[in-house]
Amino acid sequence: MPEERQGPLLDQVGRELPEFPVPERLTSHGPGRIIALCNQKGGVGKTTTTISLGAALAEYGRRVLVVDFDPQGAASVGLGINPNELDLTIYNAMMERGTSLHDVLRHTDIDGLDLVPANIDLSAAEVQLVGEVARESVLSRALRDVVDEYDVILVDCQPSLGLLTVNALTAAHGVMIPLECEFFALRGVALLVETIEKVRDRLNPRLEVDGILATMFDSRTLHAREVVQRVYEAFGDTLFHTVIGRTVKFPDASVAAEPITVYAPTHAGATAYRQLARELVARGDAA
């Protein structure tokens, strides 16, 4: 009886799913590529993606710095740091002469993954920056101190398109847009892309969109599948092959203050973020 031929694996929009190889270990580190994780809509998985992608890249031997750039301090909490007990945060490194990122950054329990924490103090920076010279470039100047020591720097932005987010886009080489698989989330992407294009034209010509990441995907619903299809129709291969499914394990991992790759290393969510890390390296968007 002839063997049944199996076709190639396909992703959620019917593209052939490449095999993303495990990247080789690096023999030296830096300078880092800065990636801003942006979406003005909250609750789309920005912080989960920042922490889990950072941990996955660290697993593959990359030196990773997570910059918590949200006054709510969710990335700090997610990596086991209580923002309310901090004397020095990203705010001090940006706004105080004589304080560098080296004074602020913390090592995490994950080998190769460091954190620049944030707390509610950062919300004051948005107001104070208005009167600063070159106010859009303050984060970029702060990151100069450490950029040569890391392979990837992930900036977890707050859910707005204000001056802090513009600072992140001005500092970044690339933008990753986590997008919840829900129709209303789709509506805001055009506005975000317009903002990215303005920053590229006026402040940061090197800035590029690394990709749109579909998050909170539930393959059982037609709605989620349609949203991913519409993103692909609008943005083509900017959409990552990797899709992050909806699971209760992500909030559980947040409560445990661990990335999903540590909290549930064999879970499908951990596997997806490792695949995303490999895809990012394969695309050339991470070392």
Side-chain angles (χ1 to χ4, degrees):
M1 193 172 172
E3 280 187 26
E4 202 174 300
R5 286 187 62 191
Q6 288 189 328
L9 278 176
L10 303 180
D11 70 7
Q12 295 295 343
V13 293
R15 294 175 294 181
E16 186 172 333
L17 184 64
E19 190 175 320
F20 301 113
V22 173
E24 291 182 14
R25 312 293 281 193
L26 297 175
T27 53
S28 61
H29 300 285
R33 189 167 188 277
I34 302 166
I35 302 172
L37 287 95
C38 286
N39 193 323
Q40 73 271 32
K41 187 177 185 300
V44 298
K46 280 192 302 294
T47 301
T48 296
T49 296
T50 305
I51 292 170
S52 303
L53 174 60
L57 285 165
E59 267 186 30
Y60 291 130
R62 274 60 191 157
R63 287 207 69 201
V64 182
L65 179 65
V66 166
V67 178
D68 190 346
F69 211 49
D70 183 347
Q72 295 177 69
S76 303
V77 172
L79 286 169
I81 303 252
N82 184 345
N84 302 319
E85 295 175 355
L86 297 170
D87 294 323
L88 292 174
T89 66
I90 183 65
Y91 169 83
N92 304 89
M94 288 175 64
M95 306 306 297
E96 292 175 3
R97 203 177 283 273
T99 303
S100 86
L101 274 192
H102 286 114
D103 302 321
V104 174
L105 67 80
R106 304 286 194 95
H107 301 298
T108 70
D109 293 337
I110 296 152
D111 191 35
L113 181 65
D114 293 342
L115 168 73
V116 173
N119 62 17
I120 198 65
D121 292 349
L122 186 59
S123 58
E126 189 114 37
V127 179
Q128 291 171 255
L129 283 170
V130 172
E132 288 282 319
V133 177
R135 61 191 181 186
E136 300 92 354
S137 304
V138 178
L139 177 62
S140 187
R141 291 199 301 275
L143 287 173
R144 274 183 217 150
D145 288 342
V146 300
V147 72
D148 288 337
E149 299 165 28
Y150 294 93
D151 302 308
V152 184
I153 297 174
L154 301 173
V155 183
D156 183 28
C157 297
Q158 66 174 347
S160 89
L161 294 180
L163 199 42
L164 289 178
T165 298
V166 170
N167 257 269
L169 294 174
T170 304
H173 300 93
V175 189
M176 184 183 293
I177 304 172
L179 179 72
E180 183 185 4
C181 293
E182 201 267 331
F183 178 71
F184 290 111
L186 189 57
R187 293 172 63 190
V189 175
L191 181 60
L192 176 56
V193 169
E194 190 180 306
T195 302
I196 291 166
E197 286 171 354
K198 282 181 183 173
V199 171
R200 183 193 295 131
D201 290 344
R202 301 173 190 178
L203 297 163
N204 182 7
R206 71 185 178 185
L207 184 65
E208 56 188 49
V209 176
D210 287 345
I212 297 173
L213 176 69
T215 63
M216 303 182 187
F217 179 77
D218 187 343
S219 60
R220 297 170 301 179
T221 68
L222 177 62
H223 181 79
R225 296 197 300 273
E226 283 180 345
V227 168
V228 174
Q229 191 63 45
R230 289 186 64 172
V231 173
Y232 179 60
E233 287 165 7
F235 297 101
D237 287 332
T238 305
L239 178 69
F240 283 104
H241 289 282
T242 303
V243 169
I244 309 300
R246 186 184 292 276
T247 169
V248 73
K249 277 285 189 274
F250 288 127
D252 288 350
S254 300
V255 171
E258 291 178 336
I260 187 90
T261 52
V262 175
Y263 178 75
T266 59
H267 188 269
T271 302
Y273 275 112
R274 289 192 191 98
Q275 179 180 305
L276 178 63
R278 296 196 305 275
E279 182 171 359
L280 206 63
V281 173
R283 281 188 176 209
D285 295 330

